[in-house]
Amino acid sequence: QVQLVESGGGLVETGGSLRLSCAASGRTFSVYAMAWFRQAPGKEREFVASITWSRGITYYADSVNGRLTISRDNAKNTAYLQMSSLKPEDTAVYYCAARTAARITIIVANYDYWGQGTQVTVSS
């Protein structure tokens, strides 16, 4: 089992920045990739970004490319999502996810472990 705990969400004005953290514990050696998803009220959970744990290969959704940056610190077993130039449409609950199979995917069902989520609200 892998446990994921997100932190760093909050309220920010349009154009502001936030950094989300996702601390992993348990069988972290089994993790191939970490990802961030988000879910706005009344909408489906959508992929934001992913990073492979060993090589740090990243992949982004087109809607956030250039504004959000995913990274990881292997020594701390922590993944990050640096968000800048935030817009009201970025308002959502942000979830961290981990996948053990060795393949990049943006599909929710293909991730094995999930955090509890952290709220990000961008005011206009």
Side-chain angles (χ1 to χ4, degrees):
Q1 293 291 323
V2 175
Q3 293 78 41
L4 304 173
V5 178
E6 302 100 332
S7 61
L11 174 64
V12 64
E13 294 183 347
T14 296
S17 300
L18 279 176
R19 188 177 81 156
L20 307 183
S21 299
C22 175
S25 60
R27 297 172 61 88
T28 57
F29 60 86
S30 67
V31 173
Y32 172 75
M34 302 281 286
W36 288 94
F37 288 77
R38 66 185 182 185
Q39 187 166 18
K43 295 188 177 181
E44 294 187 352
R45 194 169 298 188
E46 66 172 357
F47 172 82
V48 173
S50 66
I51 186 167
T52 59
W53 204 241
S54 61
R55 298 181 62 188
I57 298 171
T58 58
Y59 184 74
Y60 294 92
D62 289 341
S63 60
V64 303
N65 208 355
R67 299 189 299 117
L68 276 58
T69 302
I70 190 171
S71 61
R72 91 275 188 243
D73 184 330
N74 293 48
K76 295 182 178 180
N77 286 329
T78 299
Y80 303 96
L81 186 67
Q82 179 67 49
M83 304 188 294
S84 60
S85 302
L86 284 165
K87 307 175 182 178
E89 50 263 44
D90 293 317
T91 294
V93 177
Y94 283 71
Y95 295 91
C96 176
R99 171 174 168 85
T100 56
R103 182 178 178 183
I104 295 296
T105 175
I106 66 171
I107 299 173
V108 170
N110 287 349
Y111 283 81
D112 306 293
Y113 304 100
W114 291 85
Q116 81 288 351
T118 185
Q119 177 71 47
V120 171
T121 303
V122 184
S123 63
S124 57

